[in-house]
Amino acid sequence: MTADSAPSRSVAIATNNLECERHIQYFSTIERYFIANGWKVVTDFRADLVVVCACGFHDAMYNKVCHTLAGIRESGQREASVVILGCLPKTHAKDLADSFRGPVIPYGQEEALDRLIGARVPFSEVQAPHVFRPQEERPAEPASKAFFHIRIAEGCLRQCTFCVINKAKGALRSTPSKEVQRQYRDALAQGYRRIFLMAEDTFAYGLDIGTTMPELVSSLLAMDSDVELHFGSLHSRWLVAYGDSLVEWCRRGVVRHLHVGLQHVNEDILSRMGRPARIAEICAVLRRIKEASPAVVLSADVIVGFHGETDEKFAELVEFMKKDTLFDSVSHFGFSDVKGAPSFEFDGKLNPLLVARRWDILKDVLGPRSYYNRTEDADDGYRKAYQATFNNDYSFCRHTFVGP
């Protein structure tokens, strides 16, 4: 593959995850990169090159890639013309080495892709899109409604015992405040008012560069506060640590939705997850937020069936959700092991059938608050992305970014 021949070549870009906004930005950047180098993006595995942008947050994602590779082989495509990119090459390196012999390029090492295709425009010079969509058929939204995404950090504090993404993303690396402010000004200049500040652990921002998330947000709002800020999942430790700031932003209407990574309510389980917290402190902050701004939407992630979750500890979670009046929506997940995560070595593992039964019980307890019982937003973009990710091994990526 050479730069001279690239303009006549075609590339099919596929992914196993349409839900994570950071992953969507990644594969939309890959699409922009190939277009900048004169390639035609198609939705056919018989293209000159197939690129699989592979999320690796769970073993199920690895299985999806295996099924996708089988489909690629059935199309007649040579393995040498298939490239696997993203987090999976780091989170599931050994498994991938055993099942795939083609080129593998881990997240953060995309200069290898430059050499592979003889790029005229190197990956390092391609700007990651700020506005993107997971699926081609999803219409682009006007600036007044669309989210403008600003990547404020990479990596995390690497403390969650059930997670392997830190293997791909590494330690926390915050974007300098001045650069975030520049991108914020660009968003406003282009007419965007819904700003998504994203990272693996958004509110850990600044701990490595001598600042904090509240200081960053304050500097942005000082420039222009006629905005709606979104943060992705909020680790409960930051909810408590930065409660005063969150209450104030909600009171001002700058923040209208908070999604809390609650994960559980039993403190022993939370400690085993590497997320120690006191539920009473979390609820106290959430009540203050609701009092300051009753219209704020509060949602949460919860995991059932983590190692060591006894009947009594699960009952504690169920009782909490029965009495809860704070969360408007709950996304609940049945835990399953991920090879390579610290928790993979833990004792107290539950039978998968028991985990599934507990998931069903919680779904019934939550009623309309369960994300999986909701019907009123059946046509929203996020739900379609979730269904596509859940139901399909892969989706093609084309026309995923908005703008030049």
Side-chain angles (χ1 to χ4, degrees), residues 116-370:
L116 185 69
I117 71 167
R120 297 173 300 179
V121 180
F123 186 83
S124 61
E125 293 183 8
V126 176
Q127 178 180 302
H130 291 290
V131 184
F132 40 79
R133 53 187 177 177
Q135 295 169 299
E136 180 179 0
E137 62 270 21
R138 183 174 173 181
E141 296 176 309
S144 59
K145 293 184 178 181
F147 285 107
F148 188 98
H149 298 78
I150 301 177
R151 168 64 98 153
I152 66 169
E154 290 266 13
C156 64
L157 301 182
R158 299 188 287 189
Q159 296 176 345
C160 297
T161 62
F162 53 79
C163 185
V164 293
I165 290 301
N166 60 75
K167 290 187 173 183
K169 298 298 180 71
L172 179 69
R173 303 178 307 283
S174 300
T175 304
S177 300
K178 288 185 178 179
E179 173 58 21
V180 177
Q181 293 163 1
R182 183 192 66 78
Q183 294 182 40
Y184 184 79
R185 282 193 296 270
D186 288 348
L188 300 177
Q190 295 174 49
Y192 292 98
R193 291 289 163 179
R194 305 181 78 190
I195 313 297
F196 199 127
L197 303 177
M198 63 180 188
E200 277 68 45
D201 186 357
T202 309
F203 275 74
Y205 175 84
L207 297 183
D208 58 323
I209 57 174
T211 186
T212 66
M213 185 65 172
E215 289 173 345
L216 173 67
V217 172
S218 294
S219 73
L220 300 180
L221 297 181
M223 295 163 59
D224 193 325
S225 61
D226 184 20
V227 294
E228 179 182 335
L229 297 180
H230 289 254
F231 305 118
S233 184
L234 170 61
H235 193 306
S236 57
R237 70 189 294 178
W238 307 123
L239 176 72
V240 175
Y242 299 144
D244 291 345
S245 295
L246 287 162
V247 170
E248 177 61 16
W249 299 337
C250 291
R251 185 193 64 78
R252 294 172 60 181
V254 172
V255 174
R256 304 173 191 175
H257 176 214
L258 281 174
H259 186 78
V260 181
L262 187 67
Q263 309 311 354
H264 213 279
V265 300
N266 177 270
E267 293 178 8
D268 177 59
I269 293 294
L270 288 170
S271 292
R272 286 171 66 88
M273 289 179 171
R275 302 170 66 94
R278 296 185 181 278
I279 296 304
E281 293 178 349
I282 292 170
C283 291
V285 176
L286 294 176
R287 288 191 200 96
R288 290 176 58 203
I289 287 173
K290 279 291 192 180
E291 290 168 1
S293 179
V296 166
V297 175
L298 297 178
S299 57
D301 285 332
V302 170
I303 296 173
V304 301
F306 190 72
H307 304 324
E309 185 189 67
T310 62
D311 291 343
E312 293 76 16
K313 291 171 182 176
F314 176 64
E316 185 179 343
L317 175 62
V318 169
E319 287 304 307
F320 175 89
M321 289 301 173
K322 282 181 179 178
K323 299 175 182 177
D324 169 60
T325 58
L326 294 169
F327 291 110
D328 302 282
S329 175
V330 177
S331 298
H332 46 105
F333 308 92
F335 180 77
S336 58
D337 264 335
V338 182
K339 286 182 289 186
S343 63
F344 190 76
E345 306 298 330
F346 285 9
D347 58 7
K349 298 187 180 187
L350 277 64
N351 186 300
L353 292 177
L354 176 58
V355 176
R357 284 199 295 273
R358 290 184 176 179
W359 187 91
D360 284 334
I361 290 171
L362 193 59
K363 181 172 179 283
D364 290 340
V365 166
L366 288 167
R369 288 178 297 156
S370 168

Side-chain angles (χ1 to χ4, degrees), residues 22-23 25-34 37 49 51-55 83-90 103-128 151 154 168-169 173:
R22 300 178 303 282
H23 187 67
Q25 186 185 57
Y26 182 67
F27 66 66
S28 65
T29 305
I30 295 296
E31 182 186 9
R32 173 175 274 181
Y33 166 78
F34 275 97
N37 279 287
L49 182 67
V51 173
V52 180
C53 292
C55 167
V83 185
I84 299 181
L85 306 173
C87 292
L88 192 82
K90 286 189 177 180
V104 173
I105 301 175
Y107 182 85
Q109 299 179 23
E110 289 78 15
E111 68 276 2
L113 190 57
D114 296 339
R115 296 190 292 271
L116 185 69
I117 71 167
R120 297 173 300 179
V121 180
F123 186 83
S124 61
E125 293 183 8
V126 176
Q127 178 180 302
R151 168 64 98 153
E154 290 266 13
K169 298 298 180 71
R173 303 178 307 283

Side-chain angles (χ1 to χ4, degrees), residues 15-25 27 53 55 57-58 61 64 132-135 138 149 196 198 232-233 259 301 331-333 371-372 380-392 395 397:
T15 186
N16 59 352
N17 189 343
L18 295 174
E19 290 188 87
C20 172
E21 68 279 352
R22 300 178 303 282
H23 187 67
I24 297 170
Q25 186 185 57
F27 66 66
C53 292
C55 167
F57 87 94
H58 198 276
M61 290 297 173
K64 285 178 179 289
F132 40 79
R133 53 187 177 177
Q135 295 169 299
R138 183 174 173 181
H149 298 78
F196 199 127
M198 63 180 188
S233 184
H259 186 78
D301 285 332
S331 298
H332 46 105
F333 308 92
Y371 179 80
Y372 310 100
D380 70 32
Y382 179 82
R383 182 172 290 274
K384 287 182 178 180
Y386 162 76
Q387 290 172 339
T389 299
F390 184 81
N391 295 327
N392 304 327
S395 297
C397 309

